[in-house]
């Protein structure tokens, strides 16, 4: 069966991955085209980060270089460590009051820009998400120190909001001037009688936002997880890790879990609270959506409390069904399994009906996807459902394991930049450690295809001949458009308008533009319709790029 099998003869939601639209030789030609515009030194480095996928008989992909510094002068789409810590992992939790210790710009630009939604449940349920609190450091503070100002800010914030917890985020200058944010947090925690914790997540701390994820995982695990002793009710208790409720994705998944009788103890951290994260050790299973940002938490929860985890993907109707079946299999309850099958059948029918309508208009169209650290993978099956071909995909800041699978973790070289980020020493907690499944039970689950404690990475699921690109640069994006002439590009706001000026639609897979949810069955239907509208819109052929109308400025490299 090929990927292009008609909707009339095969189930479009069956997960069948077919051949690539390019041969390996054609992909290698594109790679050469990308590198030839660079000075030799830069081309040598980029060469290791641009890989033609070609799996061996075990399904192993070639090695890709990832999580290394972007070269000076290359325009990257990456973000900073503060962004990964504040904006991504801790940010979506509505009842932790968050203070940015730094100049006002860092707080301002992380203020409601990620579309992570939340829903307070009652008038007593704190929701601080609309606020942006900053110490607004000035030149004077940089010279004489900002710690006093931070202490004052924490007290003032407490007096106004009376929160249960306060988190403090360090920006670049804080690390440079040496403010002891942790001492301030400790003292204020004792003084105010609430949880106050600080993170040394200065923007430059790592090579990208990925370092900020790790720092946030450590802080939340240390200061929040396990701090709420009230056990949640429920038969099938699950934590969902790495789902941040962009465009309402978590709301859609919460609806499905509720329908199935699955208790979501907490999410890290879409639509989450300090209160629910504190209950995480009561769950019997951790499901991991975004491996890159939260795999540290999954491992620590397993080591300390004995909760197994596995990777899920709720993007696409097929993957959603598969992930739900894995959860049902883990719990091994016939009632839950029956409810799961009934829900899949019901909701897949609606997805198939929409596919029958839109697929003939999209079949065979091509897409390039360069997103973050997990979505470039998650969206591939959704495009396959539409009959579209992913020619090339890549992450901005993922690590080799997100590309090649966790099996390569022992081979990853730890460089100075990674050594900068603390790895917490975690051991089983004597009172609370209880392995939820025996080794034999876990082995049985693995044998039936549940990826317990594992993630296979993006490349293993991509066809041979697809071009995998780490930390794609602005120059390369334009060159890829010239060489591959895709029908659609998926990336973020930094790329959006340049790509559209080329007459090619761009769907933002970070913020979802103004759309979503795209997770779950209903989300998949939203995405099918959105992509149909975008790709088949008549406006694109009418666009004339400004650089086609006016001569462009040209320049040469000063040195090679
Ligand atoms: Fe995980 Fe994310 Fe992503 Fe990410 Fe992000 Fe995001 Fe992303 Mo933008 S946590 S790695 S740091 S799935 S903000 S919700 S869309 S780059 S692919």
């Amino acid at each position: 069966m090929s990927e292009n099998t008609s909707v009339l003869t095969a189930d479009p939601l069956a997960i069948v991955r077919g051949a690539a639209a390019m041969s390996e030789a054609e992909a290698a030609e594109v790679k050469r085209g990308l590198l030839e515009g660079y000075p030799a030194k830069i081309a040598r480095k980029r060469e290791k980060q641009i890989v033609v996928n070609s799996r061996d008989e075990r399904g192993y992909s070639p090695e890709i270089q990832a999580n290394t510094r972007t070269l000076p002068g290359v325009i990257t789409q990456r973000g900073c460590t503060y962004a990964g810590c504040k904006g991504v992992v801790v940010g979506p939790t509505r009842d932790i009051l968050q203070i940015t210790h730094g100049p006002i710009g860092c707080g301002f630009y992380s203020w409601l820009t990620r579309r992570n939604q939340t829903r307070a449940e009652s008038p007593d349920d704190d929701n601080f998400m609309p606020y942006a609190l900053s110490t607004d450091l000035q030149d004077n503070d940089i010279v004489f120190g900002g710690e006093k100002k931070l202490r004052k800010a924490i007290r003032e914030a407490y007096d106004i909001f009376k929160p249960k917890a306060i988190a403090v985020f360090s920006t670049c200058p804080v690390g440079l001037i040496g403010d002891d944010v942790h001492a301030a947090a400790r003292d204020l925690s004792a003084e105010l009688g609430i949880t106050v914790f600080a993170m040394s997540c200065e923007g430059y701390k790592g090579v990208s936002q990925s370092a900020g994820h790790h720092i946030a995982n450590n802080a939340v695990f240390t200061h929040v997880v396990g701090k709420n002793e009230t056990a949640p009710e429920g038969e099938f208790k699950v934590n969902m890790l790495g789902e941040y409720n962009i465009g309402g994705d978590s709301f859609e998944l919460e609806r499905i879990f509720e329908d199935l009788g699955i208790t979501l103890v907490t999410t890290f951290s879409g639509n989450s609270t300090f209160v629910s994260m504190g209950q995480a050790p009561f769950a019997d299973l951790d499901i991991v959506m975004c491996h890159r940002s939260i795999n540290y938490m999954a491992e620590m929860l397993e080591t300390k409390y004995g909760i197994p985890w596995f990777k899920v993907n709720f993007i696409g109707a097929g993957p959603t069904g598969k992930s739900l079946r894995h959860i049902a299999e883990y719990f091994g309850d016939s009632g839950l399994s029956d409810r799961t099958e009934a829900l899949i059948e019901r909701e897949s029918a609606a997805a198939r009906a929409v596919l029958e309508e839109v697929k003939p208009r999209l079949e065979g169209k091509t897409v390039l996807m360069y997103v973050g650290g997990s979505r470039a993978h998650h969206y591939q099956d959704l495009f396959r459902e539409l009959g579209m071909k992913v020619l090339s995909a890549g992450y901005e800041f993922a690590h080799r394991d997100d590309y090649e699978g966790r099996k390569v973790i022992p081979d990853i070289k730890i460089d100075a930049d990674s050594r900068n980020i603390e790895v917490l020493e975690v051991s089983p907690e004597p009172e609370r450690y209880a392995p939820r499944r025996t080794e034999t039970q876990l082995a049985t689950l693995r044998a039936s295809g549940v990826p317990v404690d594992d993630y296979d990475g993006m490349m293993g699921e991509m066809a041979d001949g697809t071009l995998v690109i780490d930390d794609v640069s602005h120059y390369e994006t334009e060159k890829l458009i010239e060489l591959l002439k895709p029908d659609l590009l998926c990336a973020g706001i930094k790329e959006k308008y340049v790509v559209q000026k080329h007459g090619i639609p761009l769907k933002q897979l970070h913020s979802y533009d103004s759309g979503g949810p795209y997770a779950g069955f209903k989300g998949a239907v939203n995405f099918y319709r959105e992509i149909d509208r975008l790709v088949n819109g008549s406006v694109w052929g009418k666009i004339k790029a400004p650089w086609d109308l006016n001569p462009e400025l040209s320049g040469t490299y000063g040195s090679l």
Side-chain angles (χ1 to χ4, degrees), residues 31 47-54 60-66 400 403-404 408 411-413 459 468:
K31 176 174 173 175
E47 203 263 328
K48 299 191 192 93
Q49 292 172 281
I50 303 175
V51 168
V52 177
N53 201 26
S54 170
Y60 285 25
S61 338
E63 181 175 334
I64 187 165
Q65 189 177 83
R400 275 185 62 201
Y403 286 105
E404 301 169 55
V408 303
D411 303 332
I412 296 178
K413 284 198 267 338
M459 290 165 83
V468 185

Side-chain angles (χ1 to χ4, degrees), residues 30-48:
V30 175
K31 176 174 173 175
R32 262 192 295 285
L34 289 180
L35 294 175
E36 76 191 2
Y38 281 127
K41 209 169 134 190
I42 296 192
R44 270 202 301 281
K45 172 95 193 288
R46 288 300 293 151
E47 203 263 328
K48 299 191 192 93

Side-chain angles (χ1 to χ4, degrees), residues 88 114 209 213 244 246 290 293 371-375 397 509-510:
V88 176
R114 186 162 165 258
Q209 54 267 64
H213 301 151
Y244 300 96
I246 310 300
C290 169
S293 62
V371 205
S374 69
R375 292 190 171 174
F397 51 79
L509 285 191
H510 298 259

